[in-house]
Amino acid sequence: MNRAWGADGGGPGSSTAGARPDEVRRHNRAALLRRLHVDGPCTRATLATELGLNRSTIKAVVDGLAESGVVTEAVPAQRTGAGRPSLMVLPSPEAAVVLAVDVRVEQVAMSVVGIGGQVLGRHSWNLHRRTRTPGEVITHVAESAQLLTEELGVTPAGAGISVPGVVRRDDGWVHEAPNLGWRDVALGARLGAVLRLPVRVGNDAELGALAEHVRGVARGATDLVYVSADFGVGGGVISEGRPLRGARGYVGEIGHLPIRPGGRPCYCGSRGCWETEVGEAALRRALGLPEGGPRGVVVAELRALEAALAAGARTNPLGEFAEWLATGLVTVVNLLAPQLVVLGDLFTALPPCVVDDVRTMVHERSLVSRAVGGTRIETSPLGRDAKLVGAAELAFEPVLGAV
Ligand SMILES: [Zn+2]
């Protein structure tokens, strides 16, 4: 969280010495709003303690936000101690809303999200070969966004878009999204023009990591890796509390770690990539399912396997799959030393005993995991929604500072 600045402009760490009073006010307002957005309603007293500000400064900021309808105040239901209770400060979800869009290979999901992360409305539609082109997707997003926001009676302040591909963060340029068949698409600029909104575009796994960090299983963790399997396999990294981006934001193509010399050819130009051993196609092979077809069949097969294993079935067709998953994760853990690895998307459907085997193998084979006290490996509680939640948070970043 952003630390607030002291009322005298020389707040914690005195990094603000010399800041103008209006800058200090704006910064404190954004810090307070971010606190309410991420952690929910709380009392003025708690805000004062957490943000390191005195009560009169909190009062001034909250009064200003209440006047513009961004927060409301209420007497807390449960009073503690004697004396006058500190008022609860609640964000008003509709005071600032964003549009979140998750572009997947088979589907586009869209939601309108208010301050505090409340989903005010959502919509989704399926994609097939003809409707998957950038032009078709952009047109459909614009039309659906208009219908959804009109129905809700809200005007978004920004939009966040998740794309399974290599995305330039500065301007939302999609270099390659192989599973969508997209190459060199000025998605940020084109969507910004039709939506008439500031648009930020992010790689899907990077946004999955952001979502888990802000609202999922990784809240409070400073170092985490989110690894997800959809058609492809991608990763998002939070290191020391911040997204690890690399040059122009291209970190995270861990699906293309070469792990099997002489393995299957991959569309990236290499062979034996991790994705070829643990992506959806590999999972279908392991389960004896035909190539392609609906995702639901894979999930149903995994559920049946889970039930069979729980009932004592001796043979597990995912033994080798688990080996490859663990092999890649050992490299990821040794390289990035996360406290936590979050397995997202299709990985969340793996039977728990398979995830347990992967945990054991990673712990036994990664000296870094052991050194950090055992890297936790968890499945994503946000599941299919993680990237949509991350897209909303991406859009909120500049919005909270401008409300
Ligand atoms: Zn590859």
Side-chain angles (χ1 to χ4, degrees), residues 30-381:
L32 189 148
L33 210 47
R34 178 138 193 93
R35 160 63 181 78
L36 294 174
H37 173 70
V38 171
D39 295 317
C42 68
T43 63
R44 286 189 185 188
T46 304
L47 286 171
T49 308
E50 288 188 7
L51 300 175
L53 293 170
N54 63 42
R55 283 187 172 229
S56 62
T57 306
I58 290 291
K59 180 178 184 313
V61 176
V62 171
D63 284 351
L65 288 168
E67 223 166 80
S68 44
V70 179
V71 301
T72 54
E73 290 188 276
V75 178
Q78 284 188 327
R79 296 179 57 161
T80 51
R84 210 153 51 111
S86 182
L87 288 171
M88 286 291 281
V89 183
L90 304 92
S92 305
E94 296 186 12
V97 304
V98 299
L99 181 71
V101 180
D102 177 19
V103 181
R104 295 168 166 266
V105 175
E106 289 182 320
Q107 193 189 56
V108 177
M110 169 184 286
S111 63
V112 171
V113 181
I115 296 183
Q118 190 178 329
V119 176
L120 303 173
R122 56 192 301 162
H123 178 59
S124 64
W125 62 95
N126 290 333
L127 294 181
H128 48 82
R129 190 179 293 273
R130 190 180 59 75
T131 55
R132 201 178 286 136
T133 64
E136 289 280 342
V137 169
I138 289 166
T139 304
H140 204 149
V141 164
E143 288 170 0
S144 300
Q146 191 177 357
L147 285 174
L148 189 58
T149 53
E150 276 177 10
E151 190 183 302
L152 294 166
V154 296
T155 307
I161 320 291
S162 164
V163 176
V166 180
V167 178
R168 188 165 67 203
R169 175 54 75 79
D170 323 353
D171 58 357
W173 179 277
V174 179
H175 282 277
E176 285 187 56
N179 291 311
L180 289 173
W182 292 8
R183 182 183 279 268
D184 292 327
V185 180
L187 188 66
R190 288 172 66 179
L191 266 177
V194 292
L195 293 172
R196 298 197 188 103
L197 284 175
V199 170
R200 304 178 90 201
V201 185
N203 166 269
D204 62 343
E206 185 187 352
L207 296 183
L210 178 65
E212 295 295 342
H213 192 222
V214 177
R215 305 208 176 271
V217 72
R219 283 174 72 123
T222 53
D223 294 86
L224 70 113
V225 181
Y226 173 86
V227 184
S228 76
D230 191 34
F231 277 78
V233 172
V237 185
I238 305 272
S239 181
E240 296 184 325
R242 294 171 180 277
L244 189 69
R245 299 237 163 86
R248 308 200 82 167
Y250 298 146
V251 158
E253 289 301 328
I254 58 177
H256 300 281
L257 287 172
I259 63 164
R260 185 171 192 165
R264 290 166 186 272
C266 179
Y267 56 78
C268 71
S270 184
R271 264 181 182 278
C273 291
W274 197 24
E275 182 170 312
T276 65
E277 298 300 333
V278 300
E280 182 177 333
L283 199 47
R284 283 178 185 274
R285 282 199 308 274
L287 293 169
L289 294 170
E291 251 180 67
R295 162 71 56 81
V297 175
V298 181
V299 175
E301 193 68 22
L302 287 169
R303 292 222 175 97
L305 175 62
E306 181 179 336
L309 291 170
R314 295 269 176 96
T315 51
N316 178 0
L318 295 185
E320 194 185 340
F321 179 91
E323 276 279 344
W324 287 117
L325 185 52
T327 302
L329 285 177
V330 166
T331 300
V332 168
V333 169
N334 283 349
L335 186 67
L336 297 162
Q339 301 157 297
L340 174 63
V341 172
V342 185
L343 299 175
D345 252 319
L346 202 46
F347 289 143
T348 62
L350 291 173
C353 65
V354 172
V355 178
D356 279 343
D357 289 347
V358 170
R359 276 190 192 104
T360 305
M361 286 187 272
V362 173
H363 190 66
E364 286 173 357
R365 299 174 193 177
S366 165
L367 72 171
V368 172
S369 171
R370 296 193 295 275
V372 300
T375 295
R376 284 166 54 211
I377 297 176
E378 306 285 352
T379 48
S380 160

